[in-house]
Amino acid sequence: MITLAQMAEAVLRCADGREKTAQSRRYAAEWQAARAAGETPEIGHADPPLHPARPDAPALLSPRDVPRRRPGTPEGRIALLHAVAHIELNAVDLHWDIIARFTDTRLPMGFYDDWVKAADEESKHFNLMCDCLEEMGSHYGALPAHAGMWRAAEDTVDDLMGRLAVVPMVLEARGLDVTPGMIKIFKQAKADSAVAALETIYAEEVAHVAYGSKWFHFLCGRFDEDPKERFHSLVRTYFHGDLKPPFNEEKRAEAGIPPDFYWPLTASG
Ligand SMILES: [Fe+2]
Ligand SMILES: [Fe+2]
């Protein structure tokens, strides 16, 4: 078995979405089987690329150049699922990147167990979105997608606490805010497989946010820092713009993110 950091690097260097996620799921299964057998596999070190490999399509555009479509139309719903597929593919890479990027920091095995599980789930989410798109006569790569989704990773390339604050605790937490509205759109359209896929995503994303909060608090404890203050200063440093309500306060609470973490970072906070 290659080291976990080598697995992570291999996933990051794989360009094709379906191939990347297949590899990701295979490695996750290998890791989880070893852990279930009571082993402590090697984390090792690797050389993760600054940008993960990406397929030729979709074309990546600046957010303001991505055409907006109304969600009340089939084209609009395809565009919405395409955008989610793109987010999920980035999330696969983000979770493997946090594994490979910070191997100089001593961390408990549970840190790696959590992110391997999250990466495995993101891989499943990407495939679910691709399946839905194909069922609707489209596919991932058929539409342009947002560039800049990797920016948070670049900005926090040498700051693990910054990475945890911005990626799971801000960006993935935002997913908890917006997913119920999306589920409603697909329910109204009676698009059953999209509803089921989005419900799976919604249920599993809570844990990813919770992993972020858990390891962020762990590191604050290690350095004897106040978590709320540290969170605010890191988000102000690395996240561009205000956090936008409405927030899903219930799911955020379930994920270990209390209101005084996010409300002060809104425009009116
Ligand atoms: Fe996901
Ligand atoms: Fe996630």
Side-chain angles (χ1 to χ4, degrees):
M1 187 166 144
I2 59 173
T3 68
L4 186 66
Q6 286 171 323
M7 292 180 185
E9 183 184 336
V11 175
L12 289 162
R13 292 190 187 279
C14 179
D16 179 75
R18 291 278 197 181
E19 248 174 68
K20 183 192 286 285
T21 53
Q23 195 174 34
S24 166
R25 301 212 73 182
R26 225 172 23 244
Y27 285 148
E30 252 182 72
W31 173 264
Q32 286 163 348
R35 297 289 288 142
E39 292 167 28
T40 306
E42 202 189 329
I43 305 301
H45 296 279
D47 179 26
L50 192 53
H51 293 268
R54 282 278 172 269
D56 294 336
L60 301 180
L61 302 180
S62 143
R64 74 185 106 79
D65 298 329
V66 176
R68 286 186 195 286
R69 295 174 177 87
R70 284 185 304 117
T73 63
E75 295 72 32
R77 287 191 292 276
I78 286 173
L80 206 49
L81 293 181
H82 195 278
V84 177
H86 186 62
I87 290 170
E88 300 295 348
L89 190 64
N90 274 277
V92 174
D93 284 323
L94 283 168
H95 294 322
W96 285 112
D97 191 86
I98 203 173
I99 288 170
R101 188 72 58 191
F102 303 101
T103 51
D104 288 336
T105 304
R106 183 177 46 86
L107 290 156
M109 286 305 265
F111 176 88
Y112 298 101
D113 291 334
D114 286 349
W115 297 119
V116 167
K117 185 164 191 289
D120 185 41
E121 288 168 352
E122 305 296 9
S123 307
K124 179 172 66 183
H125 299 170
F126 174 76
N127 287 318
L128 283 170
M129 287 298 101
C130 289
D131 295 345
C132 290
L133 284 168
E134 286 161 23
E135 195 183 295
M136 293 164 87
S138 187
H139 62 274
Y140 179 66
L143 299 172
H146 285 194
M149 209 145 269
W150 198 249
R151 173 149 188 201
E154 267 184 279
D155 290 347
T156 58
V157 74
D158 50 11
D159 189 337
L160 173 56
M161 289 182 76
R163 176 71 63 89
L164 289 166
V166 173
V167 173
M169 296 174 76
V170 168
L171 298 178
E172 293 198 275
R174 170 90 183 138
L176 301 179
D177 303 334
V178 300
T179 308
M182 273 196 290
I183 293 173
K184 214 163 135 192
I185 289 170
F186 287 91
K187 268 192 181 152
Q188 277 164 358
K190 301 200 179 355
D192 296 341
S193 39
V195 170
L198 289 168
E199 277 174 347
T200 299
I201 291 174
Y202 184 49
E204 292 181 345
E205 287 302 330
V206 180
H208 305 176
V209 180
Y211 299 155
S213 174
K214 172 173 50 168
W215 295 110
F216 180 79
H217 281 83
F218 174 88
L219 289 169
C220 287
R222 175 181 280 176
F223 302 121
D224 197 17
E225 294 194 56
D226 180 82
K228 185 178 69 176
E229 273 166 27
R230 190 87 174 104
F231 179 75
H232 289 163
S233 96
L234 287 168
V235 175
R236 287 193 180 110
T237 304
Y238 293 120
F239 186 73
H240 311 278
D242 301 313
L243 304 195
K244 289 189 180 59
F247 298 111
N248 187 338
E249 296 206 288
E250 184 185 345
K251 288 290 166 189
R252 283 170 172 261
E254 204 177 312
I257 315 234
D260 59 352
F261 270 54
Y262 48 88
W263 276 108
L265 297 170
T266 61
S268 56

